Amino acid sequence: MANLRGEVVKLYKNLLYLGREYPKGADYFRKRLKAAFLKNKDETDPEKIKQLIARGEFVIKELEALYFLRKYRAMKQRYYSDDKS
C-alpha cells in the first residue's frame, strides 16, 4: 500500500507541474486536480487505485500532446505564411 501511495504522490506532483501551462490557467487546473484527488482519497482497493493511477497517466499524455500541438502551431505560424500564391 505504501508503494501505491508513492505513485499517487508522484502522479499528483507531475500533474501539478504540467498544469502550470494549462490554457485556462494554473489556478483553474490546480482546483480541478485537487478536487479529483480528494474525491478518491478514501479508496483502499489496490486494483481501483491502480486504475485511477492509469487514468492519471493518460491525462498526463493528453496534456503533453496538447502542449506539443500548441507549440507546433505557434512555430508554424511564426515561420510559415498562409499565402496560397
Side-chain angles (χ1 to χ4, degrees):
M1 197 64 147
N3 187 24
L4 289 176
R5 179 176 169 78
E7 286 185 47
V8 171
V9 170
K10 180 180 165 188
L11 178 67
Y12 188 78
K13 286 182 179 182
N14 285 340
L15 285 166
L16 268 179
Y17 177 77
L18 288 172
R20 295 181 311 150
E21 295 181 37
Y22 194 70
K24 289 189 176 182
D27 289 335
Y28 173 83
F29 186 85
R30 192 177 310 113
K31 288 176 188 175
R32 300 276 310 252
L33 178 66
K34 185 175 180 179
F37 272 76
L38 286 177
K39 182 177 81 172
N40 297 305
K41 73 176 183 165
D42 295 327
E43 189 62 53
T44 56
D45 181 27
E47 290 303 315
K48 178 69 173 168
I49 294 172
K50 288 177 185 177
Q51 289 176 353
L52 293 168
I53 290 172
R55 182 186 298 168
E57 290 171 352
F58 176 77
V59 170
I60 287 175
K61 290 177 184 175
E62 289 292 313
L63 284 171
E64 289 173 342
L66 172 74
Y67 297 157
F68 180 77
L69 183 61
R70 186 172 65 180
K71 288 178 183 178
Y72 170 78
R73 286 181 178 161
M75 294 294 285
K76 185 177 177 185
Q77 188 177 41
R78 188 174 297 145
Y79 293 110
Y80 297 102
S81 65
D82 288 338
D83 292 341
K84 303 283 184 192
S85 24

